[in-house]
Amino acid sequence: MRKVRIEKILLLNPPFDGLYIRDQFCSHLSKGTYYWQPLDLLCLSGCLHADGYEMAVLDAVAEGLSIEKAHARIDEFSPDAVIFLTGCDSFDEDIAFVEETKRRGAKVAIGIGDILREQGEELLRKHPALDACLLDFVTHGVHSYLQGNLDKAENMMVRTGTKVRRIPARDKQKLFSVPPPRYDLFPLKQYRLPHNRYHPYATVLASSNCPYGCSFCPFARTAYRAREADDVLRNLEVIRNMGIRQVHFADWTFAVHRKQTMTLLEGMIDAGFDFTWDCLSRVDLMDHELMSLMRRAGCELIEFGVESGSQALLDRYEKDITIEQIRRAFQSAKELDISTLATFVLGLPDETRESLQKTLALALEIEPTFCSFNMASPQPATQLRRELIDGGGLNPDAPAILDSSRSVPVFSTSYLSAKEVYEFRNHAVRQFYLRPSYVVNRLRNIRSMEELQNHIFNGFSLAWQTVVKPLKYGN
Ligand code: SF4
């Protein structure tokens, strides 16, 4: 039972040399100049505020703070407890930072991040400065833990004496409610998404986790829950009152729960919100009726995980969509004037030259507004990672097994070397983005200074990735 009284909590994204994104149990380097709001900390800020804590937020990455400056800021607030983000590539630095924070007075440190989801028990045993790991951020269970009431805590791993205990998820309801985040505590002006029209923006959650089974994804078959539509609408009202016009729905898969989604969209239209918003979804969840309602509610961009132009690969990695569904969703988006971002995964173990070519051909055929060609990455808690380890293609103990920018392959496929996949990726990026018709269209559609800035930054980033970086990689 915890004896110390916890009144002041710091939500922390520790310093890092670079735009390292630690968010929603996923960590990687930003591929451009964008850096988005950490959803975990946003959701926790709302819940802990409602639970009565005094809070501060320090996003040292977004603010570009050095270790020394970050500690100086923390000293000013003098928290009793710290809830910090961490990631696969930064854990050693993060825990060293947290150890120092505790030396300076914080009594409790709770971590949240991909590496803790997979290796939490082991890391709790190894690092006495780490008191607990959160396995969910849409929860009030952390409050019970901080009050020393482990019977009401939930979805955590905690140290009790010399033992580590796993506390299961308790809330089995399909619909959940959470208070709106304390957006005002975050440095909103420091966050950017590559396709935003207005600045700053605000992140909203309409559902948590994902019921689908894509074998390269760390969120596959996680306990999906939708948020009460009225609860989301109240959250949007808070954002409107702050004068923000750009909203990002951060659900891993928007519109899984069709009834909740339709109620939410109708509520947004009735409320007359003047938001421009975007979301991530799946092509098989979309149809013309739903997409036209989304458009009427202000949706301007949908990100779809298309992954591959090869049906065989889509099936092999359990994406559970068809090429025909991809074509239909992108066609509907065009008809409704909704922009699209298609994300692809290149270099999965069964990737061949032919499947890569099919992927590029599909990207050029469906013509999304933006395309993101990512390298397959054996992230913690994925089936892909387990398969690679079992097959001897990956040493689980080797350091630096991930390229955190997802732009350089970290393993060869059964048919292609890592270098061949990397060369194709750069070829695909150039083929897609350097078409004169594409460039003219993009320039024609710029409607705000924010968009113009984004295009300039992203253009430089693209040139660096596909021209300068390949030279470094040995081409
Ligand atoms: S890739 Fe998308 S649809 Fe597939 S499991 Fe992950 S979040 Fe769900």
Side-chain angles (χ1 to χ4, degrees), residues 364-392:
L364 294 171
E365 179 198 328
I366 59 176
E367 273 204 305
T369 321
F370 306 98
C371 232
S372 180
F373 295 102
N374 302 297
M375 292 301 170
S377 174
Q379 293 184 70
T382 58
Q383 176 68 19
L384 171 65
R385 183 178 167 82
R386 285 189 287 275
E387 279 180 22
L388 281 166
I389 291 171
D390 292 348

Side-chain angles (χ1 to χ4, degrees), residues 209-222 251-253 280-282 284 305 307 317-319:
N209 289 325
C210 180
Y212 294 92
C214 314
S215 61
F216 46 83
C217 176
F219 306 98
R221 301 193 179 92
T222 44
D251 312 34
W252 279 114
T253 310
L280 291 74
S281 193
R282 288 173 52 97
D284 57 339
E307 325 301 5
Y317 295 100
E318 301 180 64
K319 184 69 194 178

Side-chain angles (χ1 to χ4, degrees), residues 4 13 16 32 56 59 103 105 123 163 167 176 178 182 227-228 252 267 285 333 341 350 357 387 389 399 411 425 444:
V4 291
N13 187 13
F16 193 85
D59 189 332
R103 265 194 294 275
L123 294 171
K163 296 207 173 107
I167 304 175
F176 68 91
V178 279
R182 284 286 311 274
R227 187 174 173 191
E228 297 274 5
W252 279 114
L285 292 175
L341 164 58
D350 285 5
Q357 268 151 358
E387 279 180 22
I389 291 171
F411 59 88
R425 186 248 175 197
R444 253 200 219 134

Side-chain angles (χ1 to χ4, degrees), residues 57-73:
V57 172
L58 185 68
D59 189 332
V61 179
E63 294 194 49
L65 297 180
S66 64
I67 290 175
E68 295 70 30
K69 285 195 174 145
H71 276 307
R73 287 267 296 274

